[in-house]
Amino acid sequence: MGTDTVRVGAADEAADRRREQRGWYFYDWACSVYSTSVLTVFLGPYLTSVAKNAADADGYVHPLGIPVRAGSFFAYSVSLSVIVAVLVMPLVGAAADRSGRKKPLLAAAAYTGAAATTGMFFLGGERYLLGGVLLVVANAAQSVGTMLYNSYLPQIAPPEERDAVSSKGWAFGYAAGALVLVANLVLYMGHDSFGLSESAAVRICLASAGLWWGAFTLVPLRRLRDRRSSAHEAKEPTAPGFRQLAATVRDMRRHPLTLAFLLAYLIYNDGIQTVISQASVYGSEELGLGQSTLIAAVLLVQVLAVAGALALGRLARTYGAKRTILGSLVAWAVVLGAGYFLPAGAPEWFFVLASGIGLVLGGSQALSRSLFSHLVPPGKEAEYFSAYEMSDRGMSWLGPLLFGITYQVTGSYRDAIISLVAFFVIGFALLARVPVRRAISDAGNPVPERI
């Protein structure tokens, strides 16, 4: 009877865990549409056109009296959003760990971002400054929300399940991005037949991402549960942003192997983010491809990233997360090498390149997240994931800088794209040196049978 009771209890616990995991997947489903439709496809060109409408005769706008070239306004807004996120994430992460109340903070971040994104419907005429403010708020809110979302992973998945759960989360996000992007492209490409101007179609696409984000966030908010911290921890004050970040880094110094992994991730993820952001520039400027080809390539990446995330998750169950990530870094280097030799004016080969990117993109990111979750000391999940998220969002400027300098020196986008191989080579070397089993043990976590 006692054994039966234990078995029933274990089965109930597993069912509760599966239900919570399914709810967790849906936050990726909710917020990834913002990254795909808003940041990657529509907002950059549209906000730039709005800023140009408001520019003076010399092509400058003047937010807060500061002269800014209209073509740079979007990039500066994204940079400002990163600074805001870097200030806010350590505060929120420490508060979440100390209070144990992650869910209200996740709700606040998600609905702030969703409201700002929905408000982009009103970006007409010369309202570039409104667009910049909404972008800063939405982007910073997404970073904070993603940090909180990631910090749930060690709590909802035991070590042996973490690679698969993380991979499924990424797959959900890419599937949602592809689904909504298809609907948005139908509306945008056929705006005349719907009786809409091009501007109105873009604004509807932007706002729809915010509505989607807000609606599907209800699922994780219903299914995820808070884990209360001790009363002592809950009473500890939260330091201001940079002081809290410094305190987190000091704490991480007690776990040098965790820091070693984070450094490797910072390097190779910078390469990944740069490939994502610069591939369209390479396609348009070096290969002479049209906008429709580039948008179709983005959609192809989204679709194949679903399969790639799930496939690499399965490989990790056989070979371990570290080896699978190392293999994906080799694949990234091969893809970039192939990209160097792509012929101009041949969209079919660019689609082959996009296919390669899609297949390794989701898996390399998902497994990096799950591997890092093993290296986080218990009770420090949100705090450590704020540092992880900042290495993702706030440090991805070295790649674009190298890309830009290489192009400036050589005048060749082919040389610029091949220069990014350095990030994957260095990241591979640094990750290969991290003894992950010892790192997990030193962090105070159980070591999975295969990692």
Side-chain angles (χ1 to χ4, degrees):
M1 181 66 71
T3 303
D4 291 341
T5 302
V6 170
R7 286 175 179 170
V8 169
D12 289 344
E13 182 181 341
D16 288 343
R17 188 171 70 246
R18 296 281 186 271
R19 183 176 186 276
E20 197 170 7
Q21 288 170 0
R22 287 192 292 270
W24 184 79
Y25 300 149
F26 267 91
Y27 189 71
D28 227 327
W29 176 273
C31 75
S32 292
V33 170
Y34 168 82
S35 298
T36 304
S37 289
V38 177
L39 274 187
T40 304
V41 177
F42 289 109
L43 185 59
Y46 183 71
L47 184 55
T48 300
S49 70
V50 172
K52 287 181 177 178
N53 289 339
D56 60 22
D58 295 322
Y60 285 84
V61 291
H62 299 270
L64 305 178
I66 303 170
V68 173
R69 192 175 291 278
S72 300
F73 182 74
F74 173 74
Y76 288 147
S77 298
V78 172
S79 297
L80 180 58
S81 74
V82 171
I83 295 171
V84 172
V86 166
L87 288 171
V88 174
M89 278 193 291
L91 281 170
V92 176
D97 285 332
R98 285 169 178 158
S99 68
R101 292 178 57 79
K102 292 180 185 179
K103 197 156 66 168
L105 294 169
L106 177 61
Y111 284 106
T112 297
T117 306
T118 304
M120 292 176 186
F121 178 78
F122 300 102
L123 297 184
E126 300 179 356
R127 296 176 183 168
Y128 76 95
L129 194 54
L130 173 64
V133 170
L134 293 176
L135 170 57
V136 169
V137 172
N139 226 29
Q142 193 207 30
S143 295
V144 173
T146 301
M147 175 267 294
L148 292 166
Y149 160 74
N150 285 340
S151 71
Y152 271 100
L153 181 59
Q155 298 177 335
I156 65 171
E160 66 275 7
E161 293 181 5
R162 225 165 276 175
D163 291 341
V165 170
S166 183
S167 297
K168 286 179 183 177
W170 277 104
F172 264 61
Y174 283 116
L179 179 64
V180 175
L181 185 56
V182 168
N184 285 343
L185 290 179
V186 169
L187 178 65
Y188 175 71
M189 302 297 284
H191 62 84
D192 286 335
S193 61
F194 291 107
L196 297 170
S197 66
E198 182 178 352
S199 171
V202 170
R203 290 187 288 113
I204 290 173
C205 291
L206 294 172
S208 68
L211 295 173
W212 180 283
W213 187 356
F216 284 103
T217 294
L218 292 171
V219 179
L221 292 181
R222 284 180 62 86
R223 294 195 173 187
L224 292 173
R225 59 186 178 88
D226 285 330
R227 275 81 173 168
R228 302 291 181 182
S229 297
S230 69
H232 173 71
E233 287 177 321
K235 291 178 181 177
E236 290 184 15
T238 299
F242 279 124
R243 284 174 53 198
Q244 181 57 52
L245 176 60
T248 301
V249 172
R250 282 196 300 273
D251 187 75
M252 293 182 78
R253 288 172 62 184
R254 298 192 297 113
H255 304 282
L257 297 180
T258 300
L259 266 179
F261 171 81
L262 199 58
L263 176 61
Y265 173 76
L266 186 154
I267 298 295
Y268 69 73
N269 184 63
D270 199 352
I272 292 173
Q273 298 301 322
T274 306
V275 173
I276 294 170
S277 66
Q278 301 302 320
S280 60
V281 175
Y282 182 67
S284 60
E285 299 297 325
E286 184 68 34
L287 304 181
L289 303 176
Q291 184 67 27
S292 60
T293 298
L294 298 177
I295 292 175
V298 170
L299 181 57
L300 181 62
V301 168
Q302 293 294 121
V303 172
L304 290 178
V306 176
L310 296 175
L312 265 66
R314 290 192 183 96
L315 285 175
R317 288 203 293 268
T318 303
Y319 299 104
K322 178 182 174 180
R323 287 183 179 178
T324 306
I325 295 170
L326 289 172
S328 76
L329 299 183
V330 173
W332 273 107
V334 171
V335 166
L336 289 180
Y340 178 85
F341 295 102
L342 286 185
E348 63 276 9
W349 287 109
F350 190 72
F351 287 137
V352 172
L353 180 70
S355 300
I357 291 174
L359 289 173
V360 294
L361 174 61
S364 54
Q365 293 177 317
L367 293 176
S368 297
R369 176 172 66 184
S370 63
L371 182 54
F372 182 71
S373 72
H374 292 285
L375 310 180
V376 177
K380 297 278 188 177
E381 291 85 4
E383 194 174 337
Y384 271 55
F385 267 107
S386 71
Y388 179 87
E389 189 67 15
M390 279 185 284
S391 72
D392 186 355
R393 309 272 178 171
M395 298 301 293
S396 54
W397 54 271
L398 287 172
L401 179 64
L402 176 62
F403 187 93
I405 290 175
T406 304
Y407 177 74
Q408 182 171 330
V409 171
T410 66
S412 168
Y413 281 106
R414 294 184 187 274
D415 292 338
I417 203 75
I418 201 67
S419 71
L420 301 179
V421 170
F423 288 91
F424 299 104
V425 172
I426 296 171
F428 182 100
L430 292 175
L431 178 58
R433 291 171 57 86
V434 178
V436 292
R437 288 187 171 275
R438 183 151 61 90
I440 295 169
S441 178
D442 289 352
N445 293 316
V447 181
E449 181 180 344
R450 193 173 298 280
I451 190 67

